[in-house]
Amino acid sequence: MTESELRLTPRSDGIEVGVPVLPHGLSDSGKVLAQRQLVDKHLAGLTTKRRIFWYYTPMALLFSRHLDADVIAFDSMDELSAFKGAPPELLALEDEMMGRADVVFTGGHSLFEAKKHRHHDIHAFPSSIDTSHFGRGRSPDRKEPDDQASIPHPRLGFFGVIDERFDVDLLREVASAKPDWQFIMIGPVVKIDPADLPKADNIHWLGSRDYKGLPDYIGGWDIGFMPFALNESTRFISPTKTPEFLAAGVPVVSTPIHDVIRSYGDEKYVEIAKDAASVVKSAEELMAMQRGPWLERVDQKLAESSWDQTFERIYELVVKAHDRRHARSEGANPGKETFRV
């Protein structure tokens, strides 16, 4: 292709997703300019009076900082600067983002503690859960996927991006220690050499699978395994898959990630294991336990963290941030609510 294009895909509830498709060979500055032009052209054709800018990465400022918005939210889901291959300008752009945002959300408590001094209106929102979707993993009507059906039990599974946050050595050690256990790994391999992944008869790399079908896989596992490495890239993570495993009715063993310990480990919703021996011990205990009482506790916990509840809390914070911004700029009554979508 010779020209840039914004490919628009309609989704449910009036949402439209735009993906910029750029010609091959553009310089970094050319990519930024092309995206800026695409966004400008698209916004010029909209009749919407209310404009909310919701940033997941400060890098988007490169092609949008010139635009006006009614309210700006920064959703800081990860410490992106700690990831392998992070752009060198990311830290400076995050400082700018903190200065522009009206309200900031963090994807967990650790990230909140690290950033709370950088903004006057910042709030922690650990991962919520679509209970009805992942709860299908408990259903007796769940269909066993063809590529998993022939794998014997017990099964320990992981789903998610397999990158520098994934402890390949821990997986290798546990799989070697328990050759009769089967390890099912679902997700794309990113930023690590596939040749470095452990190979064994009891390790099954299934690749990426559609979100809609994940409960069918997870529901067939005996244990959810979260072998996160302990490094800079995992220091502030709050894995969404933790409550998703629990909603599917699958007991979980995780390495000692701070937010997992705080939200799930301390009260024994999830077992925490620091090395291969403790992973094996925890998994054996979980496979032997009576799940009924544990599931009752899990469901009570998950009832506090639905996406609907999270939306309502975030919506009210955005409303307040909007009204505060316009009270300053227009001299309006700070107590008057002027924002609704």
Side-chain angles (χ1 to χ4, degrees):
M1 64 181 296
T2 58
E3 295 186 1
S4 303
E5 175 188 354
L6 187 63
R7 292 183 182 172
L8 301 173
T9 304
R11 299 289 176 88
S12 59
D13 300 324
I15 295 173
E16 195 171 44
V17 176
V19 177
V21 181
L22 309 181
H24 179 71
L26 286 180
S27 64
D28 288 344
S29 60
K31 293 174 185 177
V32 170
L33 177 60
Q35 290 177 89
R36 174 172 175 160
Q37 292 171 338
L38 289 174
V39 170
D40 286 350
K41 181 180 179 181
H42 181 66
L43 292 180
L46 297 179
T47 58
T48 307
K49 294 181 179 179
R50 188 77 66 196
R51 183 179 285 182
I52 306 169
F53 284 1
W54 195 286
Y55 289 87
Y56 287 101
T57 171
M59 296 298 293
L61 284 173
L62 293 174
F63 56 82
S64 65
R65 58 159 63 98
H66 64 292
L67 296 168
D68 293 324
D70 293 281
V71 62
I72 297 174
F74 175 33
D75 204 341
S76 180
M77 298 298 295
D78 287 296
E79 186 57 87
L80 299 176
S81 62
F83 282 28
K84 185 178 180 180
E89 66 269 37
L90 186 55
L91 287 174
L93 285 169
E94 182 166 296
D95 285 339
E96 180 182 347
M97 186 77 259
M98 288 292 186
R100 287 175 174 267
D102 299 295
V103 61
V104 176
F105 306 111
T106 68
H109 294 290
S110 296
L111 209 53
F112 171 79
E113 292 297 329
K115 297 181 185 291
K116 64 182 180 182
H117 64 286
R118 299 177 61 190
H119 198 275
H120 64 279
D121 192 17
I122 183 168
H123 309 269
F125 279 91
S127 302
S128 298
I129 175 66
D130 185 347
T131 304
S132 61
H133 177 67
F134 284 93
R136 198 175 77 241
R138 306 187 193 186
S139 172
D141 299 326
R142 178 187 62 83
K143 182 181 182 299
E144 188 75 41
D146 292 340
D147 55 352
Q148 181 170 280
S150 61
I151 299 174
H153 290 265
R155 299 168 178 168
L156 287 77
F158 170 89
F159 66 98
V161 178
I162 298 165
D163 57 15
E164 72 268 29
R165 295 169 293 178
F166 188 95
D167 192 336
V168 294
D169 291 329
L170 179 61
L171 172 61
R172 182 183 291 108
E173 291 172 20
V174 178
S176 176
K178 300 297 291 187
D180 57 327
W181 291 3
Q182 306 299 314
F183 297 83
I184 301 173
M185 304 288 114
I186 291 178
V189 178
V190 179
K191 294 189 290 185
I192 58 176
D193 188 344
D196 293 334
L197 300 177
K199 306 295 192 299
D201 291 341
N202 62 335
I203 302 178
H204 310 271
W205 301 97
L206 300 189
S208 298
R209 291 296 180 269
D210 189 85
Y211 174 84
K212 293 180 181 179
L214 280 178
D216 295 326
Y217 285 93
I218 300 168
W221 299 347
D222 299 281
I223 299 292
F225 186 26
M226 303 201 318
F228 288 108
L230 303 181
N231 55 35
E232 283 301 307
S233 66
T234 62
R235 182 180 174 189
F236 301 108
I237 63 171
S238 180
T240 305
K241 61 182 57 60
T242 314
E244 292 170 347
F245 271 128
L246 299 180
V250 179
V252 180
V253 178
S254 173
T255 48
I257 298 300
H258 180 77
D259 277 16
V260 177
I261 296 171
R262 172 173 177 162
S263 297
Y264 301 98
D266 285 342
E267 298 181 64
K268 292 293 184 178
Y269 297 105
V270 167
E271 290 298 316
I272 305 299
K274 63 180 180 179
D275 53 30
S278 55
V279 168
V280 170
K281 180 175 182 295
S282 295
E284 288 175 337
E285 291 174 353
L286 289 175
M287 283 189 273
M289 78 172 181
Q290 293 293 322
R291 292 197 183 184
W294 174 78
L295 282 173
E296 289 182 10
R297 294 180 58 242
V298 162
D299 288 343
Q300 291 173 0
K301 172 74 172 178
L302 296 180
E304 304 168 0
S305 54
S306 73
W307 282 114
D308 288 341
Q309 292 167 316
T310 296
F311 168 79
E312 291 297 333
R313 294 196 294 268
I314 287 178
Y315 179 80
E316 290 304 319
L317 290 168
V318 172
V319 168
K320 291 177 181 178
H322 169 276
D323 293 346
R324 187 172 57 246
R325 175 185 180 124
H326 286 263
R328 291 195 305 267
S329 62
E330 301 175 10
N333 179 2
K336 182 181 178 182
E337 220 169 48
T338 59
F339 177 91
R340 279 291 179 266
V341 294

